[in-house]
Amino acid sequence: MDSQGFREAAATAIDEIAGYYDNLDDRNVVSTVEPGYLRKLLPSEAPVEGEEWTDIQKDIEGKILPGITHWQHPGFHAFFPCATSFPSILGELYSAALSGACFNWICSPAVTELETIVLDWLAKVLGLPECYLSTGPTRGGGVIQGSASEAVLTAMVAARDKYLRETVPLEQFPEGSEAREDAIAHKRSKMVALATTATHSSTKKAAIILGVRFHTIPVHADTNYSLTGPVLAKTLADLRARGLEPFFMTATLGTTDTCAVDDFAGIVSTLKSDPVHPAGSPGELWVHIDAAYAGSALVLPSVQEQVSISLIENFHSFDMNMHKWLLTNFDASCLYVRDRNWFIQALTINQAVYGNKASEGGLVTDYREWQIPLGRRFRSLKIWFVLRSYGVKGLQEYISRTIKLGEEFADQLKSRPDLFEILTGPSFALTVFRVAGKEQGKSEEELNALTKAVCEKINASGRMWVTSTVLDGRFAIRMVTSVRTTEKEHVDRAWKILVEAAEEVLKA
């Protein structure tokens, strides 16, 4: 394919993509293919001779789209959204055209510098404290990661390295000595990472990867499934009484099950008064804030105030995914750190081939020192395009609109107390509910079975898709209204499907 062939192929591809979005609501939300469907449709080997683009393109509609679950569909109310927008798609196109590994500044200066700039823009839009800016007093800053899971792993690596540096003294155990290696190995066997039962599973996976212990802190409905200061204080004391050493914790702004927000003020108070390693002292507990989904809502000043976002200046790292709710396609996980040296000290590995004057002179940022992989894509382009195309006001209007849709849906649930019971929310466009019936004497087992039946019935309609969770043994349905294409008419349609399904199940 030469440049003229590319022009022609790209024109047809863009036209097909635009048409896909124009007619997306005509499709069912979830793919209905059977496992292994695609192997039956494709040859067992790659073609020996190249094929024409027109033949390749036909297979998108005929063979690929039947196996796609449409995350941009207005009836997609499951999980959390995986956002995109036309400006973001254009950014991805340019990124592919300007392909490079871009691990050092010298590999493509614009790739590094644009990332630094747009993440500073984003930090200001979200109301993050100044310490998380690249120009801030502690020389913090942001870096684009592949996912929130990658971000928490990166933060935990830095936290482990920081804890070991601060608690295995060089005076007693000199660098490079066997005694130091033994002391570090012993210390690692006692280190424990913390999260709650509502925290995303990525924290546990990171602990498994790093070979450190993991402890889960139970949270329940009485605290709205959020972690409180007193519960954290008791957990730290109990673990230390067992000879363990807590070094890392993920706190959450918008948990996966219910969009709960942990008690930042209580956590700060607990850590400042910690009797063993108070905040700011060697060996302090590293606190990482996972705001993967709900962090997008921080574009609204009212949400910044609601969650007391200024308090995260007391924590160490913060991550949010623009690719969930902020109109930027996967992957665009924005990880911020209060002091960049924590990442650099933990993740820098030098080889002669990486050497260049700019890096060696300390004049530039090399993002290979802020992440697990070496190479990286030009992901900041799509963020730049989205921020410039929508502007802060456009993003605020979008987030406000989808939150309002969630509130209106919750009001519909409240209008039928004979059918539904809200368990949590609405919170950040998420409402968690189940079939009502406790007052009619139905057992928890019966309510769980009824709610599960309703969930399966509405998903079988093909016109909408929801996912479920279990809260303190109660099976519940999660309804999200934050997909870009979802409008009030689609929420009303979902409500009609839901009511019909519940009435049919309860009559059976």
Side-chain angles (χ1 to χ4, degrees):
M1 185 183 289
D2 58 16
S3 61
Q4 183 56 35
F6 173 70
R7 286 188 180 94
E8 295 169 359
T12 63
I14 293 296
D15 187 60
E16 186 173 42
I17 291 168
Y20 166 81
Y21 278 96
D22 289 342
N23 301 293
L24 188 52
D25 197 26
D26 295 337
R27 301 177 185 267
N28 282 346
V29 184
V30 182
S31 172
T32 57
V33 299
E34 295 294 327
Y37 91 100
L38 195 55
R39 186 171 291 278
K40 299 174 184 177
L41 300 178
L42 298 183
S44 59
E45 297 178 359
V48 175
E49 300 291 340
E51 301 179 38
E52 294 296 320
W53 167 249
T54 52
D55 293 329
I56 298 170
Q57 187 177 23
K58 288 175 186 176
D59 284 344
I60 296 294
E61 181 65 48
K63 297 176 181 177
I64 300 303
L65 285 180
I68 294 295
T69 290
H70 303 284
W71 287 64
Q72 312 309 315
H73 195 290
F76 185 97
H77 304 294
F79 303 112
F80 288 128
C82 198
T84 192
S85 62
F86 295 123
S88 179
I89 293 170
L90 290 173
E92 200 69 81
L93 181 62
Y94 275 101
S95 176
L98 302 173
S99 181
C102 303
F103 48 85
N104 276 356
W105 175 88
I106 195 63
C107 293
S108 278
V111 175
T112 293
E113 296 194 14
L114 185 62
E115 184 161 338
T116 301
I117 291 166
V118 298
L119 287 182
D120 277 352
W121 283 9
L122 179 63
K124 293 174 183 177
V125 172
L126 300 178
L128 301 188
E130 190 179 7
C131 59
Y132 289 98
L133 298 176
S134 68
T135 56
T138 57
R139 292 282 288 159
V143 57
I144 303 172
Q145 304 279 345
S147 66
S149 299
E150 190 177 328
V152 74
L153 175 60
T154 302
M156 195 182 291
V157 169
R160 182 188 65 180
D161 184 78
K162 177 176 180 288
Y163 186 83
L164 290 170
R165 284 198 315 272
E166 293 176 349
T167 60
V168 182
L170 282 170
E171 316 86 69
Q172 186 177 354
F173 303 101
E175 191 67 54
S177 67
E178 188 173 338
R180 184 168 186 82
E181 289 186 12
D182 290 343
I184 286 175
H186 178 72
K187 180 74 70 172
R188 281 183 174 177
S189 71
K190 301 294 184 182
M191 292 169 64
V192 58
L194 310 178
T196 75
T197 48
T199 307
H200 190 268
S201 60
S202 56
T203 299
K204 183 175 183 178
K205 179 176 278 191
I208 291 171
I209 292 169
L210 295 182
V212 297
R213 298 178 188 237
F214 177 77
H215 179 81
T216 304
I217 306 171
V219 290
H220 302 286
D222 59 349
T223 63
N224 197 31
Y225 301 100
S226 66
L227 175 65
T228 65
V231 170
L232 174 59
K234 184 178 185 305
T235 299
L236 294 175
D238 290 348
L239 290 171
R240 286 167 178 159
R242 293 165 48 194
L244 300 178
E245 301 184 28
F247 78 102
F248 178 93
M249 182 180 76
T250 297
T252 308
L253 195 168
T255 58
T256 302
D257 289 329
T258 68
C259 264
V261 178
D262 287 332
D263 177 15
F264 293 165
I267 294 170
V268 169
S269 176
T270 293
L271 295 181
K272 283 185 175 180
S273 60
D274 183 43
V276 180
H277 295 299
S281 69
E284 64 177 345
L285 184 74
W286 179 301
V287 179
H288 172 73
I289 301 299
D290 178 6
Y293 167 69
S296 295
L298 292 171
V299 299
L300 301 176
S302 59
V303 174
Q304 296 174 18
E305 183 178 355
Q306 172 192 337
V307 303
S308 303
I309 197 61
S310 61
L311 288 174
I312 72 164
E313 68 180 3
N314 297 282
F315 303 143
H316 301 77
S317 53
F318 170 94
D319 181 72
M320 61 81 64
N321 290 343
M322 286 192 73
H323 62 245
K324 275 196 166 66
W325 196 6
L326 214 52
L327 301 172
T328 307
N329 66 282
F330 194 90
D331 49 350
S333 188
C334 302
L335 171 63
Y336 292 88
V337 67
R338 203 175 74 205
D339 184 340
R340 66 180 59 193
N341 286 319
W342 294 333
F343 282 172
I344 293 169
Q345 288 176 302
L347 295 164
T348 297
I349 300 291
N350 286 316
Q351 284 184 255
V353 70
Y354 304 150
N356 65 88
K357 289 183 179 179
S359 296
E360 291 163 4
L363 304 175
V364 296
T365 296
D366 286 336
Y367 279 122
R368 68 180 177 86
E369 299 171 337
W370 296 47
Q371 62 178 26
I372 305 297
L374 175 66
R376 53 203 335 274
R377 301 190 304 114
F378 198 175
R379 291 178 287 205
S380 58
L381 266 181
K382 58 191 174 188
I383 296 176
W384 192 41
F385 285 10
V386 167
L387 292 176
R388 292 182 66 186
S389 297
Y390 284 89
V392 176
K393 287 186 178 179
L395 296 176
Q396 290 172 337
E397 289 169 1
Y398 160 65
I399 295 294
S400 295
R401 178 180 68 80
T402 55
I403 288 176
K404 184 179 179 183
L405 289 175
E407 293 168 347
E408 291 172 348
F409 175 74
D411 288 339
Q412 290 174 317
L413 289 172
K414 293 172 185 176
S415 73
R416 293 297 305 269
D418 58 316
L419 291 180
F420 305 110
E421 173 193 1
I422 294 177
L423 298 183
T424 69
S427 178
F428 301 109
L430 169 67
T431 303
V432 183
F433 63 98
R434 69 172 178 173
V435 171
K438 195 170 184 179
E439 294 182 358
Q440 287 74 40
K442 288 187 171 64
S443 68
E444 291 294 338
E445 291 77 11
E446 290 174 309
L447 292 175
N448 285 348
L450 290 170
T451 305
K452 186 175 183 180
V454 170
C455 185
E456 292 173 349
K457 194 171 191 64
I458 59 181
N459 284 342
S461 73
R463 304 307 300 143
M464 63 182 290
W465 191 31
V466 295
T467 43
S468 61
T469 189
V470 178
L471 301 176
D472 290 332
R474 298 174 297 176
F475 187 94
I477 297 170
R478 299 170 69 263
M479 172 78 176
V480 175
T481 61
S482 46
V483 170
R484 178 179 64 86
T485 59
T486 302
E487 302 287 351
K488 188 177 188 307
E489 64 182 281
H490 304 114
V491 176
D492 289 343
R493 181 176 69 194
W495 170 245
K496 182 180 178 182
I497 293 171
L498 178 60
V499 169
E500 291 175 353
E503 289 178 338
E504 288 181 22
V505 167
L506 288 172
K507 284 179 182 177

